[in-house]
Amino acid sequence: LLASGGHDGTTKLWSLPDGALVDTLQAGNDPVWRLSANRDGTLLASASVGDTITLWSLPDRQVLTTFAVQAGGAECLALSPNGKLLASGGRDGAVRLWSLPEAAPIAVLTGHTRPLRCLAMRADGHLLASGGADGDVRLWSLPDGAPIGVLAGHGDWVMDLAVGPDGGSLASASTDRTVRLWSLPDGAPTGVLRGHTGTVSCLAISPDGKLLVSGGFDNAVRVWSLPDGAPLKALVGHTT
């Protein structure tokens, strides 16, 4: 399944590869702007503009819990592979950890000095990366939330994060027009990818870990090889 959230307040489920609409989920009228699923695709967390988080059971399309994030809001989400832990990032720069399905608060992780934009969790569920407007990427151990390190290098907002499938690498995208590569869990820098002429806003790593795809405000999609970061192709066609 593919899940998409919209400004109409709905989350739509699509089958792949045919792209047929399977179902429409709706728990409110506020735009849905963040989604995160667990590893086996049985749970889906959504965050709305009204700072409400909803946890869905996908097999039966039922709401398991809905709760409001009072302090800082919910700018980004990351659901653990086993579906028992949810991380949310707020406008106050804090990462909040919640136990599921009861949505009980576990910890508030502080260190960022400006709003958060993105979260990414390692496939084993034991490491979380966070990024935002202060330009730093921070690493945290899970489930305790202990800080591991700060990855400094971007000169502006960190817009997106992607963890490699083997859990040993991390990519970060920024408004400084670069993509940076890091090793995990030590956070050592392994490369800086240049080519975008505008903000780099999104990232994806292939299941085999050999390709990285980035998209940006320059209307280009760029494909890079991993782990060396060599540019492979620029896909140009979008006009805005």
Side-chain angles (χ1 to χ4, degrees):
L1 284 179
L2 172 70
S4 61
H7 277 255
D8 59 0
T10 68
T11 298
K12 294 188 179 294
L13 305 179
W14 314 83
S15 64
L16 295 175
D18 63 331
L21 179 63
V22 174
D23 210 341
T24 299
L25 313 178
Q26 188 163 10
N29 295 318
D30 288 330
V32 177
W33 66 349
R34 292 291 184 269
L35 296 170
S36 182
N38 68 335
R39 179 185 293 164
D40 63 8
T42 57
L43 297 174
L44 179 70
S46 63
S48 69
V49 171
D51 295 329
T52 297
I53 296 175
T54 301
L55 183 67
W56 297 88
S57 168
L58 289 184
D60 55 12
R61 314 291 198 261
Q62 296 297 309
V63 174
L64 296 178
T65 188
T66 298
F67 61 101
V69 183
Q70 300 294 343
E75 296 291 299
C76 45
L77 297 175
L79 185 60
S80 67
N82 63 11
K84 295 182 179 180
L85 180 73
L86 178 71
S88 65
R91 292 182 293 277
D92 58 357
V95 178
R96 289 172 171 81
L97 302 181
W98 313 84
S99 65
L100 297 177
E102 66 272 21
I106 298 174
V108 178
L109 316 183
T110 59
H112 286 284
T113 58
R114 295 185 65 194
L116 291 180
R117 176 73 182 190
C118 49
L119 296 170
M121 199 175 294
R122 200 166 62 182
D124 63 4
H126 295 312
L127 184 145
L128 177 72
S130 59
D134 61 5
D136 289 336
V137 176
R138 289 181 177 266
L139 303 180
W140 317 86
S141 68
L142 295 176
D144 62 335
I148 296 175
V150 181
L151 315 185
H154 284 297
D156 212 332
W157 282 70
V158 177
M159 299 292 286
D160 200 14
L161 296 164
V163 179
D166 64 355
S169 61
L170 174 73
S172 58
S174 174
T175 55
D176 68 5
R177 305 180 181 184
T178 69
V179 175
R180 290 182 177 265
L181 304 179
W182 318 83
S183 63
L184 294 177
D186 62 350
T190 59
V192 181
L193 313 186
R194 306 181 190 277
H196 284 283
T197 58
T199 291
V200 188
S201 57
C202 52
L203 297 171
I205 297 177
S206 63
D208 63 6
K210 295 182 179 180
L211 295 176
L212 171 69
V213 179
S214 60
F217 288 6
D218 57 1
N219 305 326
V221 175
R222 292 184 176 271
V223 184
W224 318 80
S225 68
L226 292 178
D228 62 332
L232 296 179
K233 197 170 186 64
L235 312 180
V236 179
H238 291 289
T239 58
T240 184

